[in-house]
Amino acid sequence: MKKMILMATVAFLSLTAFWTVQAQPSQTIMTEPFVSPQDQEKPLFGNNLEEADFPEGAWSINEDGEMTATEDQVIWTKEKYASFVCSFDFKLSPHTNGGFLIQCSDKENWIPNTIEIQLLDDYGQEPNYHSCGSIYGFQAPSENATKQPGEWNSMTVICMGREIQIILNGKMINRIDTAEWTDNAKSPSGTDIEEKFHGHSLASAEPYGYIGFQGLHGNAPMIIRNAKIIPFPLELKLDKFDSLFGPNLENAEFNPEIWSIDADGVLHATKDDVIWSKEKYEDFILDLEFMNTKGSNSGIVIQCTDKANWIPNSFEVQVFDSFGRKVDMSDCGAIYGRCAPLFNVCKAPGEWNRMTVFCFKNRIGVCLNGELTTMMDKSLWKEAATNPDGSEVFSWLVNKAPCETENAGFLGLQGLHGNEPVVYRNVKIWQVPKETEAAPK
């Protein structure tokens, strides 16, 4: 059952790499540009814990792949994750008290800097915010689905940035959107948050971090097995993609005195002038690489309906030297002036970044350096000058409300905006076949 739920979830998510889509049996499933989710599933800590971070001797794995701890020490991933599907089995002893830890930003001081999904022997008890499957200290599960001590439980955690879903023994028992948790002492429904978590609100924390399991907390051990993860977004089959502008820019509209392509296929601009696609695109995946210089500022223009007056008649995915900054609506990966990225993974100037822009109907998503950082559903942007969170739109962008804009438009790259250049390479596109219903309107 666990595997069936996991793969069904992944199949839906893979349609757009980050949005759940309801498809009719007769519809074409949009899997062509993605590597199979099954092919990307991997052991969370490696086959023999070689990809784990833990104090020597605190954790071990036996020949059957069962992990146990002898100390109250966390076993952590070496990588950070934001969007993923993670599944595992766990067996509790009487009075076991452990946890599955996600979005940890500080391994040394993890309790106030982590979301803990409780793993607890509470068979038959009424659920609360300490129960098995709770967002510990914050939100109780909808029901108690824990098995008796000595029996194997199965858990799947689906994390899409701030959206977290928990499936325990085949039942969806908890779901939280941390963006709604803006108070550090009260839940969105007004219930109290446990005092030791009052340091900051869930909404103020980056939804990005290490994953781990709490060790032997007390004297009742827990056994973990089959801990696997599928990171998102799914890997793209770039051999299915076409060059947006053509190998020699034959499919582009541009000023040849401003834009050029060198022998290595790198695009350069000498003035602030956009290079445009000759045709319009509607549902697509755009994949490219860019390199910032210190202080550089550029952008990827999408859904443009007026090339001559593109700024208020398009959306711009910001390309910007925001290395090390806190994110806002003008940082790298933002839908400029409309939607900030969830967190900052922009590389230092002089390093190549990879960006993937997904456009399906009224939804726009941005993946930067392998992480899903930005999601915008235009149908929620109902006012021209104000964003859904109440922030004011930059005045020079104001035209139509985003929900009223067309989804089809020209694509482009902004030129030398300011004095510091951005260069681009490997600009490729995949269009959703017209018969595919990739996402509901």
Side-chain angles (χ1 to χ4, degrees):
M1 171 64 87
K2 177 198 74 174
K3 190 70 174 179
M4 181 166 53
I5 291 174
L6 171 62
M7 296 319 300
T9 303
V10 170
F12 277 119
L13 288 169
S14 68
L15 296 179
T16 63
F18 43 81
W19 286 300
T20 301
V21 175
Q22 295 181 348
Q24 300 300 321
S26 61
Q27 293 175 340
T28 303
I29 301 300
M30 197 192 72
T31 57
E32 182 181 357
F34 298 107
V35 174
S36 164
Q38 295 95 319
D39 292 341
Q40 294 194 66
E41 185 179 62
K42 63 179 182 178
L44 182 62
F45 301 114
N47 292 318
N48 295 295
L49 307 188
E50 70 276 8
E51 296 177 15
D53 180 10
F54 61 96
E56 185 175 357
W59 282 83
S60 63
I61 186 168
N62 66 20
E63 61 184 12
D64 294 322
E66 297 175 344
M67 296 166 42
T68 54
T70 57
E71 303 173 31
D72 192 1
Q73 296 284 347
V74 178
I75 183 170
W76 294 108
T77 58
K78 292 182 178 179
E79 294 181 55
K80 288 184 174 183
Y81 296 90
S83 299
F84 58 86
V85 177
C86 187
S87 64
F88 57 91
D89 303 323
F90 63 99
K91 185 190 291 185
L92 304 171
S93 305
H95 312 299
T96 294
N97 184 344
F100 178 58
L101 315 175
I102 62 174
Q103 298 184 358
C104 173
S105 59
D106 185 346
K107 294 180 181 179
E108 299 300 319
N109 184 31
W110 65 266
I111 291 177
N113 294 294
T114 298
I115 290 177
E116 178 179 354
I117 298 168
Q118 179 80 311
L119 303 176
L120 179 72
D121 168 30
D122 63 349
Y123 174 75
Q125 299 178 22
E126 287 296 315
N128 58 45
Y129 65 16
H130 287 176
S131 298
C132 193
S134 66
I135 309 295
Y136 180 65
F138 292 90
Q139 181 167 284
S142 59
E143 62 178 293
N144 188 333
T146 316
K147 295 183 180 180
Q148 298 184 63
E151 297 184 32
W152 284 104
N153 297 270
S154 297
M155 181 173 281
T156 297
V157 177
I158 304 163
C159 187
M160 292 290 130
R162 297 196 179 279
E163 174 85 12
I164 302 166
Q165 300 177 38
I166 302 167
I167 300 167
L168 179 58
N169 296 322
K171 297 181 178 180
M172 177 72 75
I173 61 164
N174 216 332
R175 182 172 183 166
I176 189 172
D177 181 352
T178 60
E180 298 173 352
W181 292 65
T182 56
D183 192 314
N184 68 342
K186 295 285 186 180
S187 74
S189 63
T191 59
D192 292 331
I193 295 171
E194 194 162 338
E195 187 173 357
K196 65 182 176 181
F197 298 111
H198 286 188
H200 61 260
S201 69
L202 290 180
S204 67
E206 287 189 343
Y208 176 57
Y210 302 101
I211 297 175
F213 287 98
Q214 190 175 14
L216 182 61
H217 186 55
N219 297 315
M222 175 174 61
I223 303 173
I224 308 292
R225 70 180 183 188
N226 298 328
K228 297 182 179 181
I229 190 167
I230 299 175
F232 281 83
L234 295 180
E235 184 180 341
L236 297 174
K237 296 178 182 176
L238 289 177
D239 60 329
K240 303 288 186 181
F241 284 55
D242 298 315
S243 172
L244 177 64
F245 298 128
N248 298 300
L249 307 186
E250 63 273 14
N251 296 328
E253 180 184 305
F254 64 102
N255 185 335
E257 295 182 357
I258 295 175
W259 282 92
S260 62
I261 187 167
D262 65 22
D264 295 321
V266 178
L267 278 162
H268 303 259
T270 58
K271 292 184 180 180
D272 191 1
D273 194 62
V274 177
I275 181 171
W276 294 107
S277 63
K278 287 184 177 178
E279 62 177 290
K280 288 185 175 182
Y281 294 88
E282 185 168 356
D283 296 337
F284 63 87
I285 304 171
L286 180 69
D287 190 84
L288 55 79
E289 294 174 277
F290 65 90
M291 184 190 295
N292 286 314
T293 51
K294 189 171 180 59
S296 58
N297 185 344
S298 183
I300 301 165
V301 186
I302 61 174
Q303 298 184 353
C304 175
T305 55
D306 185 346
K307 293 179 182 179
N309 186 29
W310 66 268
I311 291 177
N313 292 291
S314 64
F315 294 94
E316 179 185 349
V317 180
Q318 178 79 317
V319 173
F320 181 59
D321 171 27
S322 58
F323 175 69
R325 288 169 43 118
K326 289 188 176 181
V327 292
D328 61 30
M329 293 187 297
S330 61
D331 281 320
C332 198
I335 312 298
Y336 181 66
R338 298 287 186 178
C339 184
L342 293 171
F343 50 91
N344 188 351
V345 288
C346 185
K347 294 182 180 180
E351 297 184 38
W352 284 102
N353 296 267
R354 181 179 174 189
M355 182 177 283
T356 307
V357 179
F358 298 80
C359 285
F360 297 110
K361 306 307 179 190
N362 53 20
R363 298 180 173 102
I364 302 169
V366 181
C367 298
L368 180 58
N369 295 322
E371 295 290 353
L372 174 61
T373 60
T374 313
M375 293 172 282
M376 178 180 179
D377 183 342
K378 294 196 305 182
S379 67
L380 303 178
W381 269 254
K382 300 183 183 300
E383 297 183 27
T386 306
N387 294 314
D389 64 0
S391 59
E392 296 299 314
V393 176
F394 302 141
S395 60
W396 53 93
L397 299 179
V398 175
N399 188 357
K400 295 180 180 178
C403 66
E404 299 173 349
T405 61
E406 296 179 24
N407 295 324
F410 299 101
L411 305 180
L413 303 177
Q414 190 175 16
L416 181 61
H417 185 57
N419 298 316
E420 302 300 329
V422 176
V423 293
Y424 296 89
R425 70 182 183 187
N426 298 326
V427 184
K428 297 183 176 182
I429 193 164
W430 182 85
Q431 295 187 76
V432 179
K434 293 299 183 183
E435 67 274 13
T436 298
E437 292 293 335
K441 291 185 178 180

